[in-house]
């Protein structure tokens, strides 16, 4: 009796992009899942949930790709038609997420760009970060010409480390850029630290802007100043 009542259920339908030409690089595929809320009898909804009735949505690259913009857009109306083909006639769609599907591509154009660290890495007391190294030092990006010209570097995901007192290695994902494919998408970062050296120097006390003919004497005439110096300062 319960299954004969009317309910709403959200179904997750996989999305596949097909018919991609061999000379095309998909720089950002469309989302891999569409979520559709369906209203129908419980018996029908159980069929959708526990059988192979709902097959993946296949998006034909050639039907939506715009070679001038390097982008393809699948409107909501087309998504709805594809979903209805997989449902029984009694089922009603009440919502679809997302409202459209988009993908980006180019024909192999690429360039290499450097990596920038996002976040904050703080050394421990009496230490300093002497060097930051990336492996690889640059990455390849694929995008349309306008995006390629605009991207000068890529950022890592935000990384926060505190009280670093020894060499630290991390594998960090790179921050995605809409419409851009980044290869590789994960890099290795090394943070190298050194100890600050304490030095003491004697500094004389000198008066400035004294009135002419006046003499100022200070006691003491010199003071000791302690400094924490890194290796570069010591070499200078």
């Amino acid at each position: 009796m319960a299954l004969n009542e009317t309910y709403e259920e959200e179904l997750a339908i996989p999305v596949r992009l097909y018919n991609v030409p061999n000379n095309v690089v998909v720089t950002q595929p469309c989302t891999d899942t569409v979520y559709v809320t369906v209203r129908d009898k419980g018996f029908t909804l159980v069929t959708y949930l526990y059988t192979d009735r709902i097959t993946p949505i296949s998006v034909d690259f050639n039907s939506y790709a715009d070679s001038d913009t390097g982008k393809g857009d699948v409107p909501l109306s087309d998504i709805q038609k594809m979903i209805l083909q997989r449902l029984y006639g009694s089922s009603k769609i009440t919502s679809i997420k997302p409202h459209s599907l988009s993908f980006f591509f180019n024909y192999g154009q690429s360039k290499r760009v450097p990596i920038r660290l996002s976040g904050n890495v703080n050394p421990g007391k009496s230490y300093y970060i002497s060097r930051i190294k990336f492996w690889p030092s640059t990455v390849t990006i694929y995008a349309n010409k306008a995006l390629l010209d605009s991207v000068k570097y890529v950022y890592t995901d935000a990384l926060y480390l505190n009280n670093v007192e020894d060499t630290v290695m991390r594998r960090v994902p790179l921050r995605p850029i809409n419409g851009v494919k980044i290869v590789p998408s994960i890099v290795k970062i090394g943070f190298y630290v050194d100890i600050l050296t304490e030095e003491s120097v004697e500094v004389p006390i000198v008066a400035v802007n004294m009135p002419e003919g006046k003499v100022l004497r200070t006691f003491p005439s010199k003071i000791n100043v302690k400094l924490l110096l890194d290796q570069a300062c010591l070499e200078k």
Side-chain angles (χ1 to χ4, degrees), residues 1-190:
M1 291 176 63
L3 289 177
N4 200 41
E5 297 294 327
T6 299
Y7 302 94
E8 287 190 357
E9 184 69 35
E10 184 178 75
L11 307 176
I13 305 179
V15 178
R16 303 287 184 267
L17 183 65
Y18 75 104
N19 276 345
V20 180
N22 293 332
N23 64 333
V24 164
V25 176
V26 178
T27 57
Q28 182 177 312
C30 50
T31 181
D32 59 1
T33 306
V34 167
Y35 296 92
V36 55
T37 302
V38 176
R39 182 177 179 85
D40 208 334
K41 299 288 187 181
F43 286 109
T44 304
L45 296 178
V46 167
T47 302
Y48 295 147
L49 292 171
Y50 298 105
T51 70
D52 296 330
R53 170 76 186 186
I54 304 297
T55 57
I57 292 174
S58 297
V59 175
D60 186 356
F61 176 91
N62 296 314
S63 297
Y64 301 99
D66 185 336
S67 59
D68 293 331
T69 62
K71 184 181 180 183
D73 291 306
V74 185
L76 179 62
S77 58
D78 285 8
I79 300 172
Q80 185 169 348
K81 289 178 184 177
M82 296 177 193
I83 295 172
L84 286 173
Q85 292 172 359
R86 290 155 175 78
L87 302 180
Y88 294 108
S90 58
S91 298
K92 304 297 182 184
I93 296 175
T94 60
S95 72
I96 298 174
K97 297 180 293 185
H99 291 164
S100 64
L101 298 175
S102 298
F103 57 89
F104 294 83
F105 64 96
N106 76 358
Y107 295 94
Q109 302 96 317
S110 67
K111 74 175 184 180
R112 297 193 68 83
V113 294
I115 305 163
R116 296 284 181 88
L117 176 67
S118 176
N120 198 13
V121 178
N122 297 311
K125 185 178 180 180
S126 300
Y127 288 84
Y128 69 98
I129 305 295
S130 62
R131 184 163 58 105
I132 299 175
K133 186 175 181 180
F134 295 93
W135 291 274
S137 59
T138 61
V139 293
T140 302
I141 61 171
Y142 297 86
N144 61 41
K145 187 179 185 306
L147 277 174
L148 285 178
D149 292 341
S150 66
V151 177
K152 305 302 180 184
Y153 38 77
V154 296
Y155 281 101
T156 66
D157 278 354
L159 177 65
Y160 296 95
L161 299 173
N162 291 311
N163 298 316
V164 177
E165 297 181 353
D166 201 355
T167 299
V168 174
M169 298 290 178
R170 289 286 189 274
R171 286 178 58 82
V172 182
L174 297 177
R175 187 185 303 169
I177 303 173
N178 194 35
V180 177
K181 181 178 182 179
I182 304 173
V183 181
S185 59
I186 299 176
V187 297
K188 182 179 178 182
I189 310 177

Side-chain angles (χ1 to χ4, degrees), residues 12 56 137 158 172 184 201 219 234:
S137 59
V172 182
V201 295
F219 300 92
L234 290 172

